[in-house]
Amino acid sequence: MMTKEALTALILEKKAALSLTWEAIAAGMSLSPVFAVSACLGMNSLKEEPAQKLVTLLDLPAEAKTILMACPTKVWDKAIPTDPLIYRFYEVIGVYGPTIKSLIHEKFGDGIMSAIDFSMHIDKEENPAGDRVVVTMNGKFLPYKSW
Amino acid sequence: MMTKEALTALILEKKAALSLTWEAIAAGMSLSPVFAVSACLGMNSLKEEPAQKLVTLLDLPAEAKTILMACPTKVWDKAIPTDPLIYRFYEVIGVYGPTIKSLIHEKFGDGIMSAIDFSMHIDKEENPAGDRVVVTMNGKFLPYKSW
Amino acid sequence: MMTKEALTALILEKKAALSLTWEAIAAGMSLSPVFAVSACLGMNSLKEEPAQKLVTLLDLPAEAKTILMACPTKVWDKAIPTDPLIYRFYEVIGVYGPTIKSLIHEKFGDGIMSAIDFSMHIDKEENPAGDRVVVTMNGKFLPYKSW
Amino acid sequence: MMTKEALTALILEKKAALSLTWEAIAAGMSLSPVFAVSACLGMNSLKEEPAQKLVTLLDLPAEAKTILMACPTKVWDKAIPTDPLIYRFYEVIGVYGPTIKSLIHEKFGDGIMSAIDFSMHIDKEENPAGDRVVVTMNGKFLPYKSW
Amino acid sequence: MMTKEALTALILEKKAALSLTWEAIAAGMSLSPVFAVSACLGMNSLKEEPAQKLVTLLDLPAEAKTILMACPTKVWDKAIPTDPLIYRFYEVIGVYGPTIKSLIHEKFGDGIMSAIDFSMHIDKEENPAGDRVVVTMNGKFLPYKSW
Amino acid sequence: MMTKEALTALILEKKAALSLTWEAIAAGMSLSPVFAVSACLGMNSLKEEPAQKLVTLLDLPAEAKTILMACPTKVWDKAIPTDPLIYRFYEVIGVYGPTIKSLIHEKFGDGIMSAIDFSMHIDKEENPAGDRVVVTMNGKFLPYKSW
Amino acid sequence: MMTKEALTALILEKKAALSLTWEAIAAGMSLSPVFAVSACLGMNSLKEEPAQKLVTLLDLPAEAKTILMACPTKVWDKAIPTDPLIYRFYEVIGVYGPTIKSLIHEKFGDGIMSAIDFSMHIDKEENPAGDRVVVTMNGKFLPYKSW
Amino acid sequence: MMTKEALTALILEKKAALSLTWEAIAAGMSLSPVFAVSACLGMNSLKEEPAQKLVTLLDLPAEAKTILMACPTKVWDKAIPTDPLIYRFYEVIGVYGPTIKSLIHEKFGDGIMSAIDFSMHIDKEENPAGDRVVVTMNGKFLPYKSW
Amino acid sequence: MMTKEALTALILEKKAALSLTWEAIAAGMSLSPVFAVSACLGMNSLKEEPAQKLVTLLDLPAEAKTILMACPTKVWDKAIPTDPLIYRFYEVIGVYGPTIKSLIHEKFGDGIMSAIDFSMHIDKEENPAGDRVVVTMNGKFLPYKSW
Amino acid sequence: MMTKEALTALILEKKAALSLTWEAIAAGMSLSPVFAVSACLGMNSLKEEPAQKLVTLLDLPAEAKTILMACPTKVWDKAIPTDPLIYRFYEVIGVYGPTIKSLIHEKFGDGIMSAIDFSMHIDKEENPAGDRVVVTMNGKFLPYKSW
């Protein structure tokens, strides 16, 4: 059986061969781009319907559907990312982590933002002084409970 | 001269003594809460006007203004944060980093989102199934240039 | 203002001076022992009522109530614990982590066990061949959602 | 001779081909699911009888029995796990480790919970507010002895 | 599709076979040597024109153009470099980092030097007492903004 | 005897009290700013003349001269710097390290750039599109010798 | 209340003042030297009788008895020891670990040697070619159990 | 030429095929089991005679003798071992390291136990309460010398 | 083209096949043994003449000359070496590093010993009490310069 | 009782006050400079005679003799040294470690150079092209023994 890594490589090849954007692939799966890409990169599992749509859209082999639906083991190699684009987000968490913590506690009480009941969008804000990346994270607040 | 750390401790004490929220302190400084808190926690410098306003609002000693205006050395101890609230953001970067990278490159070309020409807001989205934390990051896209 | 660490030291001293067990302290706070101890050790915040009860029970200074109610920053020094009692639990996660993952996914689908909407109990099972420690963890299943 | 890793890959393939659950496989081996899965994933050795049962159930090659019975070298790659499901357990040990230590010492005296003379079960607790994962660990208390 | 690593290996082979220097290759791409080499080593992407020129110059296969134009994931293995030539630069950052920081802040205010809107040149300064390496970095100053 | 760290703190205080810039202090020591600052921050030793000049300029206690002239043990805490200004230089070494190595070897043969027989300057290049930081490093080429 | 560290420092002082050897102190506690020293260094707890004997022998303050009887948190700073004497033992585990594992499994089956139900002795073997250190470890074999 | 790793794999296969124990193999080499196993696992070199005996006993290819006699580079992957059996020994060094150091210095003066002029034995002590593992290390004391 | 690693493997094979010592190979290259071996192991580059001599002596393929003359990227895997022979040198640097630093500064002033303009020899000193290894390092003193 | 660290600080102060060189201090102790300095820096213990001589020479308090004679715990903070002078020696071990290993094995057989039965000298070799540091290490060869 193909691994998730092998399937990702195949998806990237098909995407290139068909000259499809991630936006188009996500639309074809009826999913938002962030979630669709994360599943294609092997970091999320798909429900049956979008899995089937992706298989059809990219003409993937039949077993791909099962692999796309399997629960992934989420692994990253670099505890501190080296790629500058990803590192900047790491830096933001380092610099603003305690600030985020203080403000969430002030607004919501003791608890955390879920990274599971969670969604993210990436948008482009056109700006004459230089376009801007807008990242929106939306996660359920999970209060600590005592027992 | 007081260190930034000592000043932060003093600010937290004054904040508690005056029963002020971060929202109120930020409003008193005419700044957004995220930036205001980050400066109070010693991770950003203030321009003279908000520094003076904070000194007045919290009745800080005179030298505080200079310290608030000084360029901080941004340091965090834990390469991988342990606090669950902050860790969840680290995890988001680990899980979605390559996805964010793919989508920014698709929308903007080769480059990164600036963590310097950058702003962030934290909002509360009321929801009967449980309120939600909404974090918005807005950073200038910086294209790689060749030379 | 006293730090959480200083308050923990004071609680330990009062506990010794009054010859109280953690069981008795937890009962006095109307909380389970695990949660009560974790709050006394500075790893969880208390609601007002149990905070007040603890202050009264141990005759703590007035400011202790506020400190007990504050949201803690959860920090541990050793990424890999050295104390043998704690290390054994780390080892269990290392050895059985993928097994736990496989079984939770089989029973619940893709998602995780919450460490926030979570409780834990520690019991003693008497056994002529040697008493046994029984640790029960109970966490809400949080399914991954697509968007 | 096949390595334990190769055998695990084969078991996963056979499991998928036969549409068997871990529960069913464990039942076929007359073992609890946690232990059965850990052996299939190469983290525990099997006695001859369950090894033979597994070979028969999944139609594994003859040499599989020997490999399943061999003492494994237990290795994990990530000192701090990245997969969110497994990380939450790591976090629980970080947050509650000193609490667990205090309570075991109070109930049992100086010593540890064995991770060898040990069993674990994973159960599903149905709950209208969201089903819950219940993990039960049961380990022999091993008192420190002086000499 | 070839990976960036495989393409780099091919470029190095072609470069040796054709006895070309990096200077000559960069000239052939109408780019400065530092940028040209970094793209050949897979650490920067090329615009279409220089990519085509390189393909022609080194007689690379057609797909090379696409690969050269793809946004690379920038990765380095050694957090602390071991090669003496590279380590000396790491050491310079360690020894002079706080000095550089103090002087940039004095000259420009709070902010950083961009590593993206950035160029670098390496020159040879002939000197009877031993030739000297001159490295010039030129990066846009990015001021921190408040919001 | 005062440590280098204590002396640095004193220098920073005197600098602030006298409203002197690093440029002015360096000029007063007849040294370039980078070297002068690095010595004030305890990362380089001074010859007697500039040490005496600094003592006079900042009205430091007599023992300061000896301390400024002592050979420092150069230490930095963070193998990977966290401060964004310093990190960007670390990133430049990570991204361009192999490029720098290739070009130095092409121009000079096998060897390294000395970080000891070395100087550095930091300049401001005014630019309507945003001022630029120019860092120039100049180090003696040291060829590997065989024996 | 004194910490274990402070008590250890006091014990070392008293030991020096009274010119007592560890052998003599252990004999006075009716314990073997290894266990007695480990308790004096804060790495093991004592039963009441030897604790009282040590307090009497070294004329320690009354509270020392409670501290000696408390369950210690066992911590070491260096994951890889630097002191040559201790490092050699670390090296022995690195070099011979898989050998020890193979032989214990051959002799006992799958399981481990307990580090809790464990004793150690250190002896001197006189030898004209140079005296020899003899370290004997004796730990209960704990078989893995299935469930 | 075969690597030491490949030879170890071959030895393990031959050992299984011939149903030989390590005890028997060691006896056939006229060596103690610990040393014999460590050489078979590639962590020690053999003299010609036992190398020849092993080649004959296991019917290894002729080049095996040379490889067994070659000086190995001793490498282990995990600075902190994960396998529970090996970890327990690591833990013993962590907990008792300073104790061992104190007692060796008391008995022998300043110096260390050699890990080179060293032998080790592993024995089984039968015990109705559970058999025990006895590990004996015997290393020459090496005194520090002044010069 | 062969990598340096592949060439090293080939050299070791040829060396064994021809029963040549490193001493003999070095003599054949008219180089000292330390430098010759380091080049054969891929850690230094050769000038054309010794490269040609080595190719002839070991009957290496023609491309070997180019590879031997290429500037190597010097990499080592273990920040702290595990092999006992190499570790002892690491330990010497750890134990005596500050001593070496103090004495070089006393004799030479502020600066370092070059590791580039550097040579090393390894000799055997016969001694009835056990032969001794004599390692001599000879490196140019590089004074820090101010600018 | 003073710690070794406190005594080292006192020795450095006395050395400065008396304007003594390390050479002179070593001569006064009838020891070589390397050993004498390492003992003054707390990394080696002294025999009674040189300890007494040092106490007299520097007019140290009486208890200093005992402290100088105590067996030190040898600790260094940086697994990879940052100070350039010390790092160069680390680099030498990284670059030449396998070379040293190959040559010692060729000359002596399987074994190591002792870092305990060991001496080191640091000399200055005058040279018109720049003086040179000569470091000589002399350690007993310790052969691996089988048993």
Side-chain angles (χ1 to χ4, degrees):
Chain A
M1 197 153 55
M2 224 188 290
T3 61
K4 291 235 175 207
E5 290 70 33
L7 181 53
T8 291
L10 182 58
I11 289 172
L12 292 175
E13 240 174 80
K14 293 280 188 174
K15 172 178 178 294
L18 297 166
S19 296
L20 287 169
T21 61
W22 287 122
E23 293 270 351
I25 290 170
M29 295 163 76
S30 306
L31 286 171
S32 76
V34 170
F35 190 83
V37 174
S38 73
C40 290
L41 298 183
M43 289 299 246
N44 268 314
S45 62
L46 290 176
K47 296 275 188 303
E48 186 167 10
E49 201 179 302
Q52 182 57 61
K53 283 178 172 168
L54 184 64
V55 167
T56 307
L57 182 66
L58 298 185
D59 190 25
L60 300 170
E63 65 169 333
K65 196 170 91 174
T66 310
I67 299 168
L68 288 164
M69 293 174 66
C71 303
T73 294
K74 302 177 182 190
V75 175
W76 50 95
D77 275 352
K78 298 275 173 198
I80 299 176
T82 54
D83 185 79
L85 187 145
I86 303 177
Y87 181 83
R88 294 305 178 273
F89 287 91
Y90 173 82
E91 186 177 285
V92 162
I93 302 312
V95 172
Y96 293 100
T99 293
I100 296 170
K101 183 172 167 69
S102 299
L103 285 168
I104 290 180
H105 289 330
E106 178 167 305
K107 278 181 200 293
F108 294 85
D110 202 357
I112 69 162
M113 182 191 81
S114 179
I116 308 298
D117 187 337
F118 172 84
S119 65
M120 194 191 322
H121 292 88
I122 293 173
D123 296 294
K124 183 177 191 166
E125 185 185 287
E126 309 226 335
N127 187 315
D131 293 342
R132 300 184 72 84
V133 181
V134 182
V135 177
T136 317
M137 299 177 182
N138 181 308
K140 191 177 181 182
F141 177 71
L142 304 179
Y144 281 109
K145 292 178 183 165
S146 58
W147 68 91
Chain B
M1 197 154 55
M2 222 188 294
T3 61
K4 291 236 174 206
E5 290 70 33
L7 181 53
T8 292
L10 182 58
I11 289 173
L12 292 174
E13 241 174 79
K14 292 282 188 173
K15 172 179 178 292
L18 296 166
S19 297
L20 286 169
T21 62
W22 286 121
E23 293 269 351
I25 290 170
M29 295 162 76
S30 306
L31 286 171
S32 75
V34 169
F35 190 83
V37 173
S38 74
C40 290
L41 298 183
M43 289 299 245
N44 269 313
S45 63
L46 289 176
K47 297 273 189 302
E48 186 167 9
E49 201 180 302
Q52 182 56 62
K53 282 178 172 168
L54 184 65
V55 167
T56 306
L57 182 66
L58 297 185
D59 190 25
L60 301 170
E63 66 168 335
K65 195 170 89 175
T66 311
I67 299 167
L68 289 164
M69 293 173 67
C71 303
T73 294
K74 303 178 183 190
V75 175
W76 51 95
D77 275 352
K78 298 274 173 199
I80 299 177
T82 55
D83 186 79
L85 186 144
I86 303 176
Y87 181 83
R88 294 306 179 273
F89 287 91
Y90 173 82
E91 186 177 285
V92 162
I93 303 313
V95 172
Y96 293 100
T99 292
I100 295 170
K101 182 172 167 69
S102 299
L103 285 168
I104 290 179
H105 289 331
E106 179 167 306
K107 278 180 200 294
F108 295 85
D110 203 356
I112 69 161
M113 182 191 81
S114 179
I116 308 298
D117 187 335
F118 171 85
S119 65
M120 196 192 322
H121 293 88
I122 293 173
D123 296 295
K124 183 178 193 166
E125 184 185 288
E126 309 226 334
N127 186 316
D131 294 343
R132 300 184 73 84
V133 181
V134 181
V135 177
T136 317
M137 300 177 182
N138 183 308
K140 191 177 181 182
F141 177 72
L142 303 179
Y144 281 108
K145 293 177 181 166
S146 57
W147 68 91
Chain C
M1 197 154 55
M2 223 189 293
T3 60
K4 291 234 174 207
E5 289 71 34
L7 181 53
T8 292
L10 182 58
I11 288 172
L12 292 174
E13 241 175 80
K14 292 281 188 175
K15 172 178 178 294
L18 296 166
S19 296
L20 287 170
T21 62
W22 286 121
E23 293 269 352
I25 290 171
M29 295 162 75
S30 306
L31 285 171
S32 75
V34 170
F35 190 83
V37 174
S38 73
C40 290
L41 297 184
M43 288 300 245
N44 269 313
S45 63
L46 289 177
K47 298 272 188 305
E48 187 168 9
E49 202 180 301
Q52 183 56 61
K53 283 178 171 167
L54 184 66
V55 168
T56 307
L57 182 65
L58 297 186
D59 190 26
L60 301 170
E63 66 170 333
K65 194 170 91 174
T66 310
I67 299 167
L68 288 165
M69 293 174 67
C71 304
T73 295
K74 303 178 183 190
V75 174
W76 51 95
D77 275 352
K78 298 275 172 199
I80 300 177
T82 54
D83 185 80
L85 186 145
I86 303 177
Y87 181 82
R88 294 307 178 271
F89 287 91
Y90 173 82
E91 187 177 284
V92 162
I93 303 311
V95 172
Y96 293 99
T99 292
I100 296 171
K101 183 172 167 69
S102 299
L103 285 168
I104 290 180
H105 289 330
E106 179 167 306
K107 279 180 199 293
F108 294 86
D110 202 357
I112 68 161
M113 181 191 81
S114 179
I116 308 299
D117 186 336
F118 171 84
S119 64
M120 195 191 322
H121 293 87
I122 294 173
D123 296 294
K124 183 177 192 166
E125 185 184 289
E126 310 227 333
N127 187 316
D131 293 343
R132 301 183 73 85
V133 181
V134 182
V135 177
T136 316
M137 300 177 181
N138 182 309
K140 190 177 180 181
F141 177 72
L142 303 179
Y144 282 108
K145 293 179 182 164
S146 58
W147 67 91
Chain D
M1 197 153 56
M2 224 188 291
T3 61
K4 291 236 174 206
E5 290 70 34
L7 181 53
T8 291
L10 182 59
I11 289 172
L12 292 174
E13 240 174 80
K14 293 280 188 174
K15 172 178 178 293
L18 297 166
S19 296
L20 287 170
T21 61
W22 286 122
E23 292 270 352
I25 290 171
M29 295 162 76
S30 306
L31 286 171
S32 76
V34 170
F35 190 84
V37 173
S38 73
C40 290
L41 299 183
M43 288 299 245
N44 268 314
S45 62
L46 289 176
K47 296 274 187 304
E48 186 167 11
E49 199 180 304
Q52 183 56 61
K53 283 178 172 168
L54 184 65
V55 167
T56 306
L57 182 67
L58 297 185
D59 190 24
L60 300 171
E63 65 170 334
K65 196 171 88 174
T66 310
I67 299 167
L68 289 165
M69 292 174 66
C71 303
T73 295
K74 303 179 182 188
V75 174
W76 51 96
D77 275 351
K78 299 275 172 199
I80 299 176
T82 55
D83 185 80
L85 186 144
I86 303 177
Y87 181 82
R88 294 306 178 274
F89 287 91
Y90 173 81
E91 186 177 284
V92 162
I93 303 312
V95 172
Y96 293 99
T99 293
I100 295 170
K101 183 171 166 70
S102 299
L103 285 168
I104 290 180
H105 289 331
E106 179 167 305
K107 278 180 200 292
F108 295 84
D110 203 356
I112 69 162
M113 181 190 82
S114 179
I116 308 298
D117 186 337
F118 172 84
S119 64
M120 196 191 322
H121 292 89
I122 294 173
D123 296 295
K124 184 177 193 167
E125 183 184 288
E126 309 226 335
N127 187 314
D131 293 342
R132 301 183 72 83
V133 181
V134 182
V135 177
T136 316
M137 299 176 182
N138 182 308
K140 191 176 180 182
F141 176 72
L142 304 179
Y144 281 108
K145 293 180 181 163
S146 56
W147 69 90
Chain E
M1 199 154 54
M2 224 188 292
T3 61
K4 291 236 175 206
E5 288 72 32
L7 181 53
T8 292
L10 182 59
I11 290 172
L12 292 174
E13 241 173 80
K14 294 280 188 175
K15 172 178 178 293
L18 297 165
S19 297
L20 288 169
T21 62
W22 286 121
E23 293 271 349
I25 290 171
M29 296 162 75
S30 307
L31 286 171
S32 75
V34 170
F35 190 83
V37 173
S38 74
C40 290
L41 298 183
M43 288 300 245
N44 268 314
S45 62
L46 289 176
K47 296 274 188 302
E48 186 167 10
E49 201 180 302
Q52 182 56 60
K53 282 178 172 168
L54 184 65
V55 168
T56 307
L57 182 66
L58 297 185
D59 190 25
L60 301 171
E63 65 171 332
K65 194 170 91 174
T66 311
I67 299 168
L68 288 164
M69 294 174 66
C71 303
T73 295
K74 302 178 183 188
V75 175
W76 50 95
D77 274 352
K78 298 274 172 200
I80 300 176
T82 55
D83 185 78
L85 186 145
I86 303 177
Y87 181 82
R88 294 306 178 271
F89 287 91
Y90 173 81
E91 186 177 285
V92 162
I93 303 312
V95 172
Y96 292 99
T99 293
I100 296 170
K101 183 172 167 68
S102 299
L103 285 169
I104 290 181
H105 289 331
E106 179 167 304
K107 279 180 199 293
F108 295 86
D110 202 357
I112 69 163
M113 181 191 82
S114 180
I116 309 297
D117 187 336
F118 171 85
S119 64
M120 196 192 321
H121 293 88
I122 293 173
D123 296 293
K124 182 177 192 166
E125 185 184 288
E126 309 227 335
N127 188 315
D131 294 343
R132 300 184 72 84
V133 181
V134 182
V135 177
T136 317
M137 301 177 181
N138 182 309
K140 191 177 180 182
F141 176 72
L142 304 178
Y144 282 108
K145 293 178 181 163
S146 58
W147 68 89
Chain F
M1 197 154 57
M2 222 188 292
T3 61
K4 290 236 175 207
E5 290 70 33
L7 181 54
T8 291
L10 182 59
I11 289 172
L12 293 174
E13 240 173 80
K14 293 281 188 176
K15 172 179 179 290
L18 297 166
S19 296
L20 286 170
T21 61
W22 287 120
E23 294 269 351
I25 290 170
M29 296 162 75
S30 306
L31 286 172
S32 76
V34 170
F35 190 84
V37 174
S38 73
C40 290
L41 297 183
M43 288 300 244
N44 269 313
S45 62
L46 290 176
K47 297 273 187 302
E48 186 167 10
E49 199 180 303
Q52 182 55 61
K53 284 178 172 166
L54 183 65
V55 167
T56 306
L57 182 67
L58 297 185
D59 190 25
L60 301 170
E63 65 170 334
K65 196 171 87 176
T66 311
I67 299 167
L68 289 164
M69 293 174 65
C71 304
T73 294
K74 304 180 182 188
V75 174
W76 50 96
D77 275 352
K78 298 275 172 198
I80 299 176
T82 56
D83 185 80
L85 186 144
I86 303 177
Y87 181 83
R88 294 307 179 272
F89 287 91
Y90 173 82
E91 186 177 286
V92 162
I93 302 312
V95 172
Y96 293 99
T99 293
I100 296 171
K101 182 171 167 70
S102 299
L103 285 168
I104 290 180
H105 289 331
E106 180 167 305
K107 279 180 200 292
F108 295 85
D110 202 356
I112 68 161
M113 182 191 81
S114 179
I116 308 297
D117 187 336
F118 172 84
S119 64
M120 196 190 325
H121 293 88
I122 294 174
D123 296 295
K124 183 177 193 167
E125 183 183 288
E126 309 227 334
N127 188 315
D131 293 343
R132 299 183 73 84
V133 181
V134 182
V135 177
T136 317
M137 300 176 182
N138 182 309
K140 190 177 182 183
F141 177 72
L142 304 179
Y144 281 108
K145 293 179 181 163
S146 57
W147 68 91
Chain G
M1 198 153 56
M2 223 189 291
T3 61
K4 291 235 175 207
E5 288 71 33
L7 181 53
T8 292
L10 182 58
I11 289 172
L12 293 175
E13 242 174 80
K14 293 282 189 175
K15 171 178 179 294
L18 298 165
S19 297
L20 288 169
T21 62
W22 286 120
E23 293 270 351
I25 290 171
M29 295 162 75
S30 306
L31 287 171
S32 77
V34 170
F35 190 83
V37 173
S38 73
C40 290
L41 298 184
M43 289 299 246
N44 269 314
S45 63
L46 289 177
K47 297 275 187 301
E48 187 167 10
E49 200 180 303
Q52 183 54 61
K53 283 179 172 167
L54 184 65
V55 167
T56 306
L57 182 66
L58 298 185
D59 190 24
L60 301 171
E63 65 171 333
K65 194 170 91 174
T66 310
I67 299 167
L68 288 165
M69 292 174 66
C71 304
T73 295
K74 303 180 183 189
V75 175
W76 51 96
D77 275 352
K78 299 276 173 198
I80 300 176
T82 55
D83 185 79
L85 186 144
I86 303 177
Y87 182 82
R88 294 307 178 272
F89 287 91
Y90 173 81
E91 187 177 285
V92 162
I93 302 312
V95 172
Y96 293 99
T99 293
I100 296 171
K101 183 172 167 68
S102 299
L103 285 169
I104 291 181
H105 289 331
E106 180 167 305
K107 280 181 199 293
F108 294 86
D110 203 357
I112 69 162
M113 182 191 81
S114 179
I116 308 299
D117 187 337
F118 171 84
S119 64
M120 195 191 322
H121 292 88
I122 293 173
D123 296 294
K124 184 177 192 167
E125 184 184 289
E126 310 229 333
N127 187 316
D131 293 344
R132 302 184 72 85
V133 181
V134 182
V135 177
T136 316
M137 300 178 182
N138 182 309
K140 190 178 181 182
F141 177 72
L142 304 179
Y144 281 109
K145 295 181 181 162
S146 58
W147 67 91
Chain H
M1 197 154 55
M2 224 189 290
T3 60
K4 290 237 174 205
E5 289 71 32
L7 181 53
T8 292
L10 182 59
I11 289 172
L12 293 174
E13 240 174 80
K14 293 281 188 174
K15 172 179 179 291
L18 297 166
S19 296
L20 287 170
T21 62
W22 287 120
E23 294 269 352
I25 290 170
M29 297 162 75
S30 307
L31 286 171
S32 76
V34 170
F35 190 84
V37 173
S38 73
C40 290
L41 298 183
M43 289 299 245
N44 267 315
S45 63
L46 289 176
K47 296 277 188 301
E48 187 168 7
E49 198 181 304
Q52 183 56 61
K53 283 179 172 167
L54 184 64
V55 167
T56 307
L57 182 66
L58 297 185
D59 191 24
L60 300 171
E63 64 170 335
K65 195 170 89 175
T66 310
I67 299 167
L68 289 165
M69 293 174 66
C71 304
T73 295
K74 303 179 183 189
V75 175
W76 51 95
D77 276 351
K78 299 273 173 200
I80 299 177
T82 55
D83 185 78
L85 186 144
I86 303 177
Y87 181 82
R88 295 306 179 272
F89 287 90
Y90 173 80
E91 187 177 285
V92 161
I93 302 312
V95 172
Y96 294 99
T99 293
I100 296 171
K101 184 172 166 69
S102 300
L103 285 168
I104 290 180
H105 288 331
E106 179 166 304
K107 279 180 199 292
F108 294 84
D110 203 357
I112 68 163
M113 181 191 82
S114 179
I116 308 298
D117 187 336
F118 172 84
S119 64
M120 196 191 323
H121 294 88
I122 294 174
D123 296 294
K124 183 177 193 166
E125 182 185 289
E126 310 228 334
N127 187 316
D131 293 343
R132 300 183 73 84
V133 181
V134 182
V135 177
T136 316
M137 299 176 181
N138 182 309
K140 190 177 180 181
F141 177 72
L142 304 179
Y144 282 108
K145 294 180 181 162
S146 56
W147 68 90
Chain I
M1 198 155 55
M2 224 189 292
T3 61
K4 291 237 175 204
E5 288 72 32
L7 181 53
T8 292
L10 182 58
I11 290 171
L12 293 174
E13 240 174 80
K14 293 281 188 173
K15 173 178 178 291
L18 297 165
S19 296
L20 287 169
T21 61
W22 287 120
E23 293 270 351
I25 291 170
M29 297 162 75
S30 306
L31 287 171
S32 76
V34 169
F35 191 83
V37 174
S38 72
C40 290
L41 298 183
M43 289 299 246
N44 268 314
S45 62
L46 289 177
K47 297 273 187 303
E48 187 168 8
E49 200 180 303
Q52 183 56 59
K53 282 178 173 167
L54 184 65
V55 167
T56 307
L57 182 66
L58 298 185
D59 190 26
L60 300 171
E63 65 170 334
K65 195 171 89 174
T66 311
I67 299 168
L68 289 165
M69 293 174 66
C71 304
T73 295
K74 303 179 182 188
V75 175
W76 51 95
D77 275 352
K78 299 275 172 199
I80 299 176
T82 55
D83 185 79
L85 185 145
I86 303 177
Y87 182 82
R88 294 307 179 270
F89 286 91
Y90 173 82
E91 187 177 284
V92 162
I93 302 311
V95 172
Y96 293 99
T99 292
I100 296 170
K101 184 173 166 69
S102 300
L103 284 169
I104 290 180
H105 289 331
E106 179 167 302
K107 279 180 200 292
F108 295 85
D110 202 358
I112 68 163
M113 181 191 81
S114 180
I116 309 297
D117 187 336
F118 171 84
S119 64
M120 196 190 322
H121 293 88
I122 294 173
D123 296 294
K124 183 177 193 167
E125 184 184 289
E126 310 227 334
N127 187 316
D131 293 343
R132 301 183 71 85
V133 181
V134 181
V135 177
T136 316
M137 300 177 181
N138 182 309
K140 192 178 179 181
F141 177 72
L142 304 179
Y144 282 109
K145 293 180 181 163
S146 57
W147 69 89
Chain J
M1 198 154 56
M2 223 188 291
T3 61
K4 291 236 175 206
E5 289 71 33
L7 180 54
T8 291
L10 182 59
I11 289 171
L12 292 174
E13 241 174 80
K14 293 281 188 174
K15 171 178 179 293
L18 297 166
S19 297
L20 287 170
T21 61
W22 286 120
E23 293 269 350
I25 290 171
M29 296 162 75
S30 307
L31 287 171
S32 76
V34 170
F35 190 83
V37 173
S38 72
C40 290
L41 298 183
M43 288 300 244
N44 268 314
S45 62
L46 289 176
K47 298 273 187 302
E48 187 167 11
E49 199 180 303
Q52 182 55 61
K53 283 178 173 167
L54 183 65
V55 168
T56 307
L57 182 66
L58 298 185
D59 190 23
L60 301 170
E63 65 170 335
K65 195 171 90 175
T66 311
I67 299 167
L68 289 165
M69 292 175 66
C71 303
T73 295
K74 303 179 181 187
V75 174
W76 50 95
D77 274 352
K78 298 274 172 199
I80 299 176
T82 56
D83 185 79
L85 186 144
I86 303 177
Y87 181 82
R88 293 308 178 272
F89 287 91
Y90 173 81
E91 187 177 285
V92 162
I93 303 311
V95 172
Y96 293 99
T99 293
I100 296 170
K101 183 173 166 69
S102 299
L103 284 169
I104 290 180
H105 289 331
E106 180 167 305
K107 280 181 200 291
F108 295 84
D110 203 356
I112 69 163
M113 182 192 81
S114 179
I116 308 298
D117 187 336
F118 171 84
S119 64
M120 196 190 323
H121 292 88
I122 294 174
D123 296 294
K124 183 177 192 167
E125 183 184 290
E126 310 229 332
N127 187 315
D131 293 343
R132 301 184 72 85
V133 181
V134 181
V135 177
T136 316
M137 300 177 181
N138 182 309
K140 190 177 181 182
F141 177 71
L142 304 179
Y144 282 108
K145 294 181 181 163
S146 57
W147 69 91

